[in-house]
Amino acid sequence: MNLRLALSLTLILASTLCQAQPPTLNLYTFESPPYQVASQGKGGANRISGETADTVICAANRAGWSTRIRITPQNRAIHSLERNMIDGYFAIDPSAELDTIATRSDPVALEKWYFFTRGDQLSTDNLRIGVVDGSNEEAWLEANNYSIFLSVTSASQLLALLKRERIDAALMDERVMNGLRLENGEPDMVLERHFVRYAPLYLYLSESFASSYPEFLGTFNRTLNSCMAGHLALSDEEERRIRSLSESLISEVSSALDIPQIIASAPRQESFTDVMTQDSMWQALAPFASTQLADRILDLAGSRTLYGWKMAQGGLVTEAMIMNNMGTLAAISQLTTDYWQGDEAKFQKVLDATRQGLKGMEALYISPIRYDASTSRFQVTVSAPVSPISDGVPLGVLMLGLDAEDALRDLERP
């Protein structure tokens, strides 16, 4: 009897443990250091790691799934996705073809693409462009009517062809090229680089998986920004460009609006408890509906002027807001997801700076690049204190959201 009971308990425990194991998401990708890299794991099995692979694994885990990732050629991956033989494929450019047979996530990576040349070869007639066969870059070139001179099987071949002047230009991600030059002992080889685009890359889920697990993608998307943290930091050169641009824009909007007056005339809560109550109501309805307080703020003259100024920037400015010294909104260019901004870096970092005695542009905070789901664009936020500053606390904070590609588009063009 005791033996039978012990066996029953063992079976129940084993069953419970099996049920506790998260389901497995079967994914394909391609090798592209430092984003997706195959290495030998325990027992000789291939392990896929790298920035983008780690982001996908992190977001899938937070959605309750483990992952099994394999490296495979693009044509095979797309074939398998079309026939629901895998759950998904990453990290790829948006595709009109795939959009008809699969479901696309928010971006899982942001690459910076350049034409690399030995000299100023972009001015050459009949430019001989090299690209990796089946790559995102090749698909983009074809979609934009570029003539491809040579397609090769690996990025390292492109570097060798450039060195031997068999091609005039190679299109690839900046960090991929930097890694190749170090790996192949060519760090001092002089290459000109010509910025082409910021390329957001995505996870595509098969129709079968998306229909069977409709809740997965929402959770996956919501966790992507935190899983990508640190991967989208601005370079020193990019930060200098953003700082210079921000100073100009903040000066312009400060001249167009009487910001202290806007803060003084805006609704203000009497206590932090009132702030939290209004914020909870605001978040419960946004972004699809607005509270009475949100409607009141949107209808203020300051908000309408802020909206008009933002629209006049031609897409460069994605949003604009003015906060009071409590971190609540005094004016907004459009409906936001939160009323209270006081717990966010765009407010806290400025407050930290003013408490250290910094003023004006000295206290400017520039965020890393992040994906904004409400605008479907990568953006950088910049925020600066509104004077006067009393006991280290500014009257308020002005924040601008900048479209990352628009803001940095001309940074490295010759």
Side-chain angles (χ1 to χ4, degrees):
M1 185 71 175
N2 289 339
L3 179 60
R4 190 175 297 171
L5 178 60
L7 286 171
S8 298
L9 289 172
T10 300
L11 289 171
I12 291 170
L13 180 59
S15 175
T16 302
L17 288 172
C18 288
Q19 292 174 7
Q21 295 300 314
T24 300
L25 191 65
N26 290 296
L27 303 174
Y28 280 170
T29 190
F30 55 93
E31 188 148 22
S32 180
Y35 302 105
Q36 300 98 239
V37 186
S39 59
Q40 287 281 312
K42 291 182 178 179
N46 274 347
R47 177 180 177 273
I48 311 302
S49 59
E51 290 184 7
T52 305
D54 292 346
T55 294
V56 170
I57 292 168
C58 168
N61 287 346
R62 293 185 182 182
W65 288 72
S66 64
T67 52
R68 181 185 296 115
I69 303 173
R70 285 176 286 180
I71 298 290
T72 192
Q74 184 168 19
N75 290 340
R76 179 182 172 189
I78 292 174
H79 175 87
S80 300
L81 194 65
E82 287 174 339
R83 287 156 180 77
N84 293 302
M85 297 166 64
I86 55 172
D87 296 325
Y89 176 43
F90 75 96
I92 48 178
D93 236 2
S95 160
E97 175 191 356
L98 287 181
D99 283 336
T100 63
I101 56 97
T103 302
R104 190 186 345 149
S105 73
D106 285 348
V108 298
L110 182 66
E111 294 186 346
K112 287 183 275 190
W113 291 2
Y114 292 80
F115 278 124
F116 292 92
T117 66
R118 291 299 301 271
D120 190 17
Q121 300 295 322
L122 287 188
S123 60
T124 303
D125 292 335
N126 301 316
L127 187 70
R128 297 176 300 167
I129 299 174
V131 70
V132 174
D133 185 38
S135 65
N136 291 313
E137 290 90 337
E138 182 183 54
W140 184 86
L141 286 170
E142 290 172 345
N144 287 274
N145 300 315
Y146 281 86
S147 176
I148 298 172
F149 177 73
L150 197 59
S151 294
V152 297
T153 57
S154 70
S156 59
Q157 289 177 281
L158 291 178
L159 181 60
L161 290 169
L162 274 175
K163 185 177 180 180
R164 294 197 291 268
E165 298 186 351
R166 294 280 306 280
I167 57 174
D168 301 317
L171 178 62
M172 69 174 74
D173 173 72
E174 175 190 39
R175 293 181 64 191
V176 172
M177 174 58 87
N178 291 344
L180 285 172
R181 294 179 69 182
L182 289 173
E183 181 184 323
N184 290 277
E186 303 284 358
D188 298 323
M189 185 172 74
V190 177
L191 286 178
E192 298 291 331
R193 60 181 193 172
H194 312 265
F195 178 75
V196 176
R197 66 183 289 239
Y198 285 87
L201 305 179
Y202 299 82
L203 163 68
Y204 273 94
L205 295 171
S206 69
E207 283 185 327
S208 174
F209 181 87
S211 61
S212 298
Y213 305 97
E215 74 292 341
F216 171 83
L217 190 57
T219 306
F220 181 89
N221 285 341
R222 283 192 295 274
T223 62
L224 275 174
N225 270 325
S226 59
C227 286
M228 293 170 74
H231 294 174
L232 298 179
L234 292 166
S235 68
D236 291 343
E237 200 167 359
E238 288 170 334
E239 185 158 335
R240 283 193 293 273
R241 162 67 174 167
I242 293 294
R243 179 172 293 276
S244 175
L245 182 62
S246 300
E247 290 177 0
S248 174
L249 290 170
I250 289 170
S251 175
E252 183 180 324
V253 75
S254 298
S255 298
L257 285 80
D258 185 345
I259 296 179
Q261 177 57 33
I262 287 172
I263 292 173
S265 60
R268 186 182 181 92
Q269 308 308 310
E270 294 297 324
S271 68
F272 187 68
T273 299
D274 293 338
V275 170
M276 290 296 96
T277 299
Q278 290 293 338
D279 187 58
S280 296
M281 294 168 59
W282 189 299
Q283 289 190 50
L285 296 179
F288 304 109
S290 54
T291 64
Q292 288 184 345
L293 177 61
D295 287 337
R296 184 179 169 192
I297 293 173
L298 282 165
D299 196 44
L300 292 172
S303 291
R304 294 197 300 271
T305 304
L306 207 56
Y307 171 78
W309 177 83
K310 185 205 84 164
M311 295 302 292
Q313 306 310 307
L316 170 62
V317 178
T318 57
E319 62 177 326
M321 65 177 67
I322 297 168
M323 298 158 266
N324 61 28
N325 58 10
M326 294 181 73
T328 58
L329 295 171
I332 48 179
S333 62
Q334 65 234 41
L335 183 63
T336 62
T337 54
D338 305 88
Y339 170 57
W340 185 55
Q341 312 289 319
D343 61 338
E344 298 188 18
K346 59 177 172 276
F347 182 86
Q348 284 290 335
K349 294 292 186 180
V350 172
L351 194 60
D352 290 344
T354 56
R355 284 172 173 164
Q356 294 171 24
L358 301 179
K359 298 178 181 178
M361 289 302 108
E362 293 178 340
L364 181 73
Y365 168 67
I366 302 172
S367 76
I369 299 173
R370 67 185 297 275
Y371 183 72
D372 180 48
S374 64
T375 60
S376 299
R377 289 188 285 184
F378 280 94
Q379 72 170 18
V380 175
T381 62
V382 297
S383 45
V386 176
S387 296
I389 296 173
S390 177
D391 296 326
V393 179
L395 180 68
V397 171
L398 168 67
M399 190 285 293
L400 305 178
L402 307 179
D403 180 274
E405 188 162 2
D406 277 359
L408 298 170
R409 185 187 308 279
D410 298 323
L411 177 61
E412 301 188 68
R413 289 190 187 278

